[in-house]
Amino acid sequence: MLYLKATGSSSKPALANCPELTALAEHVRSFAYMLTHLHGDRLLEWIEAASATTELPSLRHFAQHLLRDLDAVTAGLTLPWNSGVVEGHVNRIKMLKRQMFGRAGFELLCKRVLLSA
């Protein structure tokens, strides 16, 4: 879909010719709405609807795997807090570590991490 939007074409002809793609697009849109509007209370309904699709086994498996840690997924879709800032710092430190692999010891890595902050 990103390619279709980038070229200015519409995805409607593709959706019209493939009912599975239409169903998948609808499920993805409803999940995206839950994610962006923090409606975690609708997650069980979405899982039930996605698990009922027999023509989309990958979506069905994804929905069933959400049940493994339902409390955490519901909290992630409901609460306004996230760990994005922490993950960003972890990513930055890992990048610095990869850049310096085999070149310096722990002390220089510590200094570089502190100076880059």
Side-chain angles (χ1 to χ4, degrees):
M1 270 204 224
L2 292 176
Y3 176 74
L4 293 173
K5 285 186 178 183
T7 59
S9 301
S10 175
S11 61
K12 290 183 182 180
L15 293 175
N17 292 328
C18 183
E20 292 88 5
L21 191 56
T22 305
L24 179 63
E26 186 58 36
H27 285 293
V28 169
R29 280 189 198 107
S30 62
F31 191 83
Y33 183 83
M34 275 192 310
L35 183 66
T36 56
H37 292 90
L38 301 176
H39 288 295
D41 54 328
R42 299 181 185 173
L43 181 62
L44 281 176
E45 297 170 21
W46 186 88
I47 290 174
E48 289 174 8
S51 297
T53 60
T54 56
E55 68 274 359
L56 300 168
S58 296
L59 180 68
R60 189 174 66 245
H61 291 304
F62 172 72
Q64 290 168 349
H65 284 288
L66 291 177
L67 289 172
R68 287 184 175 181
D69 201 2
L70 186 61
D71 292 337
V73 177
T74 303
L77 292 174
T78 306
L79 301 174
W81 305 288
N82 63 50
S83 60
V85 174
V86 174
E87 292 297 328
H89 287 300
V90 168
N91 190 26
R92 180 180 54 83
I93 291 170
K94 285 182 178 181
M95 181 204 53
L96 289 171
K97 185 179 174 185
R98 279 191 302 272
Q99 287 176 343
M100 296 180 61
F101 181 77
R103 294 187 178 95
F106 183 71
E107 290 179 15
L108 184 58
L109 177 62
C110 287
K111 287 181 183 179
R112 187 160 179 201
V113 167
L114 292 174
L115 290 175
S116 70

